[in-house]
């Protein structure tokens, strides 16, 4: 029976990582690809798992049919996983949110919390129940082992077996399931595996000496297997998938739905008009684009240049932009998209406009991330168009940073122009919108000697150059160039050009940003994401936004004061308890969970900044982390068999975590410039996996040690397993919420790592003091 249980625990870990990553991907798509939501989603997953491990897990000691309830929890987990995928796609219908409409942080929090609630809660409970069952099936055969050692060994073994399943699940999900199956079918494949293991655990109904009740349960479990196989291989799973997607895009004629390495692409059609959505946001409309935006965005910079020949477009080129550029006498247009799959999807649903754009021999479409292409480009450009209009995500923020602007500057000809747009207004700039625009302007001015702002009612345009020509060119000269080039335009008449460039609009703009932020946006300190989030929160979560904006005051000094105050309060309260080591151990595990989550987020954020396709690599990074957890758990499990006390090892491990947290950001800060070499791509990806594995080892190693030490103080196995597992997950929850939403966007990767250092120093100091107060 013990061997069956081990297999069930491995499947439990396998199921957990697949459910976590699949739901994470579904929710990130629903939240428009905002990577900050990753921290919120992971935090809620861990919070609910900890609640399940502690509150539901506590009932295992009193339950009579422990194995039967373990099977019931597994079945319920499987069913709720399928329901959660469906709910993640349709919830906007119940919030009266239309496709393309954004969500603030608070809706992200409570929506993900409610959707994950049953799945995570049940999976957390399975861990504690698995620990107790493993202990029960081991104790009958290990009579010579002391109760304390056996309890600690049982917890660490379940931790390792679950992590092994997690590691295998992450690899299979990334390479076998995601490329070939949609999320609903993945959930049914997982259900099949879980139903098989449940039937495997229970005594078969055809065996003699079995009660009627058990026989009926066995028949039910065995019948679930062929039923699930039928659903998978018939059209039922596909029908459920299409039904949920159609409800997600209610009142739209959905003609294409596809996940790529970069995100989700959807195409809707209405009376021959195609709209292309990337992660739920409209990015291309054809054949009737927004003429005002397209003509202003293209012709104002093109007319500001005396002879634009070589052009680069970074995103949003199809469906109008390329067509307008081709009206000028250009030699070549290099075009990349935020999602390299998007041009292929546009070709599948082409219109006369996009056909003419793509068939023109001067247009060269590159199926590569725009930043990568620009870094390796061998030529300079007269104009570089950045079609990104908001640094709302880490993926788009990569095109609004000082590092990227420096790259763009190096790829411009001597009088070349770089242009981008941001949300704007000619009547009222809110403080949130003023901060967003001011930050981008500050960042541009830190790189380019000349920056020209063209305010607009919907979009503000920023033209940057090494040449003073962009400031010297007059409306009259632009009108003259327009006539000389025989441009056929609809909106950009001579009168409109003069109106657009009136000095009063500049006066209005600069008056409104006079008291705005003076911050600069960086790759690894993505303030652009924070200011964009503040701007959108004002629209969709205004009641929460005032509190959220106070997060901008966070710095290392205030963080240090918080930890000093925390140390004093924790010490004052906990030192009065009967055994100070209990809360000290819980704090060590809590702070390690906090550090582990932030290590995860730092790696995820850094990968997205450097490569741009974290959507595809999420599973691999989490898998590498969990592989490290397994190695760390196995390493320390063998150690605690021989050691009488785990305290010295805990102290050493705390020190190693502190050193790792201090060194981690230096790797990424020095990696960016090396990406110009193609050979370094694969090397750096391997480094990411290694670093993720190392962080997993550090997290996984401390859990068995803490259990060993805690069980010496309290021999209750299920209580200890539930408490410390919950402490680990709660620490991860805090790291996800605080770290993902505030620390990383505001402090950046380096200073966030120093926050980890301060927290771990605090927990280490308290643990050492607790040991001396025996």
């Amino acid at each position: 029976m013990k061997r069956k249980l081990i297999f069930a625990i491995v499947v439990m870990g396998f199921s957990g990582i697949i459910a976590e990553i699949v739901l994470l991907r579904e929710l990130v798509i629903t939240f428009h690809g905002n990577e900050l939501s990753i921290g919120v989603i992971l935090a809620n997953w861990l919070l609910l798992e900890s609640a399940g491990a502690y509150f539901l897990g506590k009932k295992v000691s009193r339950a009579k049919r422990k194995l039967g309830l373990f099977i019931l929890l597994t079945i319920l987990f499987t069913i709720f996983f399928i329901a959660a995928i469906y709910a993640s796609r349709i919830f906007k219908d119940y919030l009266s949110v239309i496709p393309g409409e954004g969500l603030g942080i608070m809706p992200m929090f409570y929506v993900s919390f409610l959707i994950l609630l049953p799945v995570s809660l049940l999976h957390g409970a399975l861990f504690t129940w698995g620990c107790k069952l493993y202990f029960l099936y081991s104790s009958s055969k290990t009579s010579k082992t002391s109760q304390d050692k056996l309890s600690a060994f049982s917890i660490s073994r379940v931790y390792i077996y679950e992590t092994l399943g997690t590691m295998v699940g992450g690899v299979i999900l990334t390479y076998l399931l995601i490329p070939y199956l949609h999320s609903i079918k993945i959930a049914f494949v997982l259900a099949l595996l879980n139903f098989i293991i449940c039937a495997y655990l229970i005594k078969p109904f055809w065996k003699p000496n079995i009660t009627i009740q058990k026989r009926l349960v066995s028949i039910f479990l065995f019948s679930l297997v062929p039923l699930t196989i039928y659903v998978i291989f018939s059209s039922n799973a596909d029908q459920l998938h299409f039904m949920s997607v159609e409800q997600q895009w209610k009142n739209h004629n959905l003609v294409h739905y596809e996940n790529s390495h970069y995100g989700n692409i959807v195409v809707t059609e209405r009376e021959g008009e195609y709209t292309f959505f990337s992660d739920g946001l409209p990015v291309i409309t054809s054949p009737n684009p927004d003429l005002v935006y397209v003509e202003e965005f293209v012709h104002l910079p093109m007319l500001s240049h005396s002879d634009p020949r070589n052009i680069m477009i970074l995103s949003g080129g199809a469906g109008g932009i390329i067509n307008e550029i081709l009206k000028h006498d250009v030699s070549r247009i290099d075009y990349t998209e935020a999602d390299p799959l998007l041009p292929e999807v546009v070709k599948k649903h082409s219109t006369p406009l996009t056909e003419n754009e793509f068939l023109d021999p001067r247009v060269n479409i590159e199926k590569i991330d725009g930043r990568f292409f620009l870094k390796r480009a061998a030529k300079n450009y007269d104009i570089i168009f950045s079609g990104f209009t908001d640094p709302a995500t880490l993926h788009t923020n990569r095109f609004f940073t000082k590092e990227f602007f420096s790259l763009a500057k190096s790829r411009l000809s001597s009088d070349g122009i770089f242009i981008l747009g941001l949300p704007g207004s000619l009547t009222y700039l809110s403080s949130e919108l003023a901060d967003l625009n001011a930050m981008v302007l500050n960042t541009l001015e830190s790189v380019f000697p000349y920056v020209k702002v063209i305010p607009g009612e919907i979009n503000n345009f920023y033209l940057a150059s090494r040449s003073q020509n962009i400031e010297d060119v007059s409306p009259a000269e632009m009108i003259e160039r327009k006539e000389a080039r025989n441009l056929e335009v609809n909106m950009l008449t001579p009168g409109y050009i003069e109106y657009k460039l009136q000095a009063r609009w500049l006066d209005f703009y600069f008056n409104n940003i006079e008291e705005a932020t003076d911050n600069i946006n960086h790759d690894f300190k993505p303030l652009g994401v924070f200011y964009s989030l503040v701007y959108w929160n004002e629209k969709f979560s205004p009641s929460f936004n005032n509190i959220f904006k106070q997060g901008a005051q966070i710095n290392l000094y205030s963080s240090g004061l918080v930890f000093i105050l925390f140390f004093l309060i924790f010490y004052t309260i906990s030192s009065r308890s009967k055994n100070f080591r209990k809360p000290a151990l819980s704090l060590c595990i809590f702070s390690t969970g906090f550090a582990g989550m932030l290590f995860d987020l730092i790696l995820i954020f850094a990968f997205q900044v450097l490569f741009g396709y974290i959507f595809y690599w999420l599973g691999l990074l989490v898998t590498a982390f969990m592989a490290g957890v397994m190695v760390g758990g196995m390493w320390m499990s063998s150690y605690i068999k021989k050691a009488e006390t785990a305290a010295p090892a805990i102290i050493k491990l705390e020190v190693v975590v502190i050193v790792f947290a201090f060194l981690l950001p230096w790797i990424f800060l020095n990696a960016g410039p090396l990406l110009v070499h193609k050979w370094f791509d694969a090397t750096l990806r391997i480094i990411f996996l290694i670093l993720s594995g190392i962080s997993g080892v550090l997290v996984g190693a401390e859990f068995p040690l803490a259990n060993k030490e805690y069980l010496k103080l309290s021999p209750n196995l299920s209580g200890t397993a539930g408490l410390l597992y919950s402490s680990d997950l709660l620490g991860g929850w805090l790291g996800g919420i605080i770290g993902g939403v505030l620390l990383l966007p505001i402090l950046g990767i380096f200073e966030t790592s120093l926050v980890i250092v301060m927290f771990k120093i605090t927990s280490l100091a308290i643990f050492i003091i607790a040991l001396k107060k025996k």
Side-chain angles (χ1 to χ4, degrees):
M1 188 61 195
K2 181 179 175 182
R3 186 175 298 175
K4 290 183 178 181
L5 184 64
I6 290 173
F7 188 55
I9 292 169
V10 172
V11 171
M12 177 181 76
F14 182 92
S15 304
I17 190 63
I18 289 179
E20 181 181 356
I21 297 300
V22 168
L23 288 174
L24 178 62
R25 285 166 59 95
E26 289 289 334
L27 287 168
V28 167
I29 290 169
T30 308
F31 297 149
H32 304 315
N34 190 326
E35 301 90 348
L36 294 190
S37 68
I38 293 175
V40 175
I41 297 163
L42 288 177
N44 278 334
W45 178 275
L46 294 178
L47 174 67
L48 292 165
E49 276 226 358
S50 69
Y54 186 72
F55 294 108
L56 293 181
K58 284 173 66 175
K59 299 183 181 297
V60 68
S61 298
R62 300 190 295 270
K64 293 181 180 179
R65 298 183 178 87
K66 293 179 174 59
L67 181 61
L69 287 173
F70 181 85
I71 292 171
L72 177 61
L73 290 175
T74 302
I75 294 172
L76 290 174
F77 162 81
T78 302
I79 294 170
F80 279 116
F81 174 39
I82 298 170
I85 295 173
Y86 198 94
S88 68
R89 294 177 176 179
I90 68 168
F91 77 86
K92 284 188 175 181
D93 196 33
Y94 296 95
L95 295 180
S96 299
V97 177
I98 61 174
E101 185 177 334
L103 289 173
I105 282 292
M106 283 307 292
M108 287 182 190
F109 177 83
Y110 66 71
V111 165
S112 62
F113 183 90
L114 292 173
I115 288 174
L116 297 175
L117 177 63
V119 185
S120 304
L121 206 66
L122 292 167
H123 193 262
L126 283 170
F127 175 81
T128 309
W129 286 62
C131 290
K132 186 63 176 180
L133 286 170
Y134 189 90
F135 172 77
L136 292 174
Y137 289 117
S138 299
S139 59
S140 60
K141 296 182 179 181
T142 321
S143 57
K144 294 181 180 179
T145 308
S146 69
Q147 188 81 359
D148 288 354
K149 285 189 176 180
L150 181 58
S151 297
F153 182 76
S154 298
I155 296 172
S156 61
R157 278 294 164 187
V158 171
Y159 193 63
I160 291 166
Y161 291 136
E162 184 198 28
T163 306
L164 173 63
T166 300
M167 182 179 65
V168 175
V171 174
I172 289 177
L173 177 69
T174 302
Y175 290 110
L176 295 180
L177 298 181
I178 288 176
Y180 304 107
L181 304 177
H182 53 72
S183 296
I184 297 288
K185 189 161 280 188
I186 289 173
F188 275 104
V189 170
L190 192 64
L192 176 61
L193 178 61
N194 277 285
F195 293 154
I196 290 173
I197 196 63
C198 287
Y200 179 59
L201 284 173
I202 200 166
K203 195 173 183 179
F205 61 85
W206 60 82
K207 294 287 185 180
N209 303 322
I210 185 173
T211 65
I212 295 177
Q213 184 182 15
K214 288 184 178 179
R215 194 180 300 276
L216 290 174
V217 171
S218 181
I219 292 172
F220 171 72
L221 289 174
F222 275 89
S223 65
L224 287 176
V225 174
L227 178 63
T228 309
I229 292 173
Y230 171 75
V231 171
I232 293 171
F233 290 99
S234 68
S235 60
N236 288 277
D238 294 328
Q239 287 175 0
L240 185 61
H241 165 69
F242 289 121
M243 187 168 63
S244 64
V245 169
E246 286 176 357
Q247 191 167 348
Q248 183 180 16
W249 291 88
K250 194 175 180 180
N251 300 324
H252 288 72
N253 179 25
L254 190 71
V255 295
H256 189 94
Y257 183 96
E258 183 175 358
N259 288 331
S260 73
H261 288 183
Y262 289 78
N264 172 261
I265 297 174
V266 164
V267 185
T268 63
E269 184 269 340
R270 183 176 182 179
E271 297 180 356
E273 184 84 8
Y274 290 91
T275 303
F276 299 81
F277 294 83
S278 178
D279 289 329
L281 294 174
V283 289
I284 292 173
T285 301
S286 180
N288 300 303
D290 180 351
L291 279 178
V292 175
Y293 169 77
V294 167
E295 290 193 358
E296 287 184 355
F297 182 64
V298 171
H299 296 302
L300 291 176
M302 293 291 281
L303 294 173
S304 297
H305 195 285
S306 59
D307 187 25
R309 294 285 180 173
N310 292 312
I311 310 298
M312 176 78 208
I313 304 174
L314 301 167
S315 185
I321 299 293
I322 294 175
N323 182 64
E324 294 301 316
I325 293 174
L326 289 172
K327 292 178 180 180
H328 298 259
D329 187 20
V330 298
S331 302
R332 182 182 174 93
I333 299 174
D334 288 329
Y335 168 42
T336 67
E337 267 297 345
D339 189 333
L341 180 66
L342 187 58
E344 295 302 312
V345 176
V346 172
K347 288 179 182 178
K348 289 180 182 178
H349 305 280
S350 64
T351 63
L353 174 62
T354 55
E355 264 188 43
N356 291 336
E357 290 176 331
F358 286 177
L359 291 176
D360 193 291
R362 292 170 292 176
V363 177
N364 171 51
I365 302 173
E366 293 287 345
K367 298 176 184 178
I368 187 175
D369 174 74
R371 185 159 167 170
F372 266 93
F373 177 78
L374 204 58
K375 188 181 287 287
R376 294 167 183 167
K379 58 179 175 295
N380 291 333
Y381 295 95
D382 296 313
I383 298 183
I384 297 176
F385 290 90
S386 177
F388 300 96
T389 57
D390 188 357
T393 68
L394 286 173
H395 183 68
T396 56
N397 186 72
R398 303 161 64 235
F399 296 90
F400 290 86
T401 63
K402 182 175 181 178
E403 292 80 4
F404 171 71
F405 292 157
S406 298
L407 172 62
K409 179 183 175 184
S410 70
R411 293 294 181 266
L412 286 172
S413 57
S414 58
D415 57 348
I417 299 171
F418 172 78
I419 176 172
L420 62 79
L422 282 174
S425 174
L426 294 178
T427 54
Y428 172 70
L429 275 182
S430 66
S431 60
E432 294 81 15
L433 193 53
D435 279 337
L436 179 62
N437 277 267
M439 182 217 60
V440 173
L441 178 60
N442 297 337
T443 309
L444 281 167
E445 289 180 337
S446 71
V447 174
F448 291 93
Y450 303 100
V451 179
K452 181 177 183 177
V453 183
I454 304 178
E457 184 53 52
I458 298 176
N459 296 98
N460 293 330
F461 296 119
Y462 296 83
L463 283 64
S465 178
R466 287 181 291 180
S467 171
Q468 192 175 346
N469 290 341
I470 59 164
E471 292 187 348
D472 292 342
V473 64
S474 65
E477 191 173 355
M478 292 174 68
I479 293 169
E480 185 180 333
R481 288 173 179 173
K482 172 183 174 294
E483 300 301 328
R485 297 175 191 176
N486 294 316
L487 296 181
E488 294 183 8
V489 292
N490 294 285
M491 303 297 301
L492 220 65
T493 62
Y496 188 86
I497 293 174
E498 290 178 344
Y499 169 81
K500 186 73 179 175
L501 299 177
Q502 285 182 3
R504 60 174 174 146
W505 305 131
L506 274 177
D507 294 338
F508 169 82
Y509 171 85
F510 282 108
N511 286 337
N512 275 271
I513 69 164
E514 189 174 359
E515 297 182 2
T517 182
D518 57 0
N519 284 322
I520 290 175
N521 194 26
H522 290 276
D523 279 349
F524 294 112
K525 194 172 184 178
L527 283 167
V529 180
F530 176 76
Y531 284 120
S532 176
L533 197 56
V534 169
Y535 169 62
W536 289 107
N537 263 337
E538 190 62 29
K539 288 176 173 288
F540 302 113
S541 300
S543 58
F544 173 72
N545 210 30
N546 287 331
I547 300 172
F548 184 71
K549 284 193 289 187
Q550 297 305 311
Q553 309 303 318
I554 294 176
N555 55 48
L556 281 181
Y557 177 75
S558 61
S559 300
L561 290 178
V562 167
F563 284 117
I564 291 172
L565 183 62
F566 173 79
F567 174 86
L568 294 174
I569 294 173
F570 190 92
Y571 175 78
T572 302
I573 296 173
S574 299
S575 60
R576 296 175 183 174
S577 63
K578 291 182 179 180
N579 198 319
F580 188 12
R581 277 189 292 167
K582 284 186 179 181
L585 280 166
S586 297
L587 179 62
C588 284
I589 289 296
F590 181 88
S591 63
T592 298
F594 177 86
M597 171 58 79
L598 278 179
F599 288 152
D600 256 354
L601 291 178
I602 287 171
L603 289 165
I604 287 170
F605 281 30
F607 190 94
Q608 183 71 323
V609 167
L610 293 173
F611 292 101
Y613 51 88
I614 190 59
F615 188 73
Y616 178 65
W617 261 62
L618 265 174
L620 288 178
L621 288 175
V622 173
T623 299
F625 179 84
M626 297 312 297
V629 170
M630 185 185 70
V631 171
M634 292 177 65
W635 174 30
M636 286 304 154
S637 291
S638 61
Y639 171 82
I640 62 176
K641 283 184 181 179
K642 306 168 187 176
E644 291 298 322
T645 177
I650 292 175
I651 292 173
K652 291 176 184 177
L653 200 57
E654 291 276 292
V655 173
V656 173
V657 173
I658 291 168
V659 173
F660 180 75
F662 183 77
L663 295 177
L664 181 62
W666 293 103
I667 297 170
F668 307 122
L669 293 174
N670 293 287
L674 294 175
L675 285 174
V676 69
H677 308 291
K678 292 185 179 180
W679 60 266
F680 192 65
D681 283 8
T683 304
L684 186 56
R685 287 195 288 269
I686 292 171
I687 290 173
F688 267 95
L689 293 176
I690 292 171
L691 290 173
S692 189
I694 292 173
S695 61
V697 168
L698 298 177
V699 173
E702 189 158 330
F703 188 76
L705 293 174
N707 275 286
K708 164 80 173 178
E709 198 66 18
Y710 203 97
L711 284 167
K712 289 164 59 179
L713 310 171
S714 174
N716 184 342
L717 182 143
S718 57
T720 298
L723 175 66
L724 293 183
Y725 192 59
S726 298
S727 297
D728 183 14
L729 297 179
L730 282 172
W733 174 81
L734 183 66
I737 294 294
I738 302 297
V741 177
L742 293 176
L743 295 182
L744 281 166
I746 296 170
L747 296 183
I749 286 176
F750 180 72
E751 292 185 7
T752 297
S753 297
L754 293 182
V755 170
I756 298 173
V757 170
M758 287 188 282
F759 197 4
K760 292 306 294 180
I761 288 174
T762 303
S763 66
L764 175 59
I766 287 175
F767 183 66
I768 291 173
I769 293 171
L771 289 177
K772 292 182 178 180
K773 288 176 68 71
K774 283 185 179 180

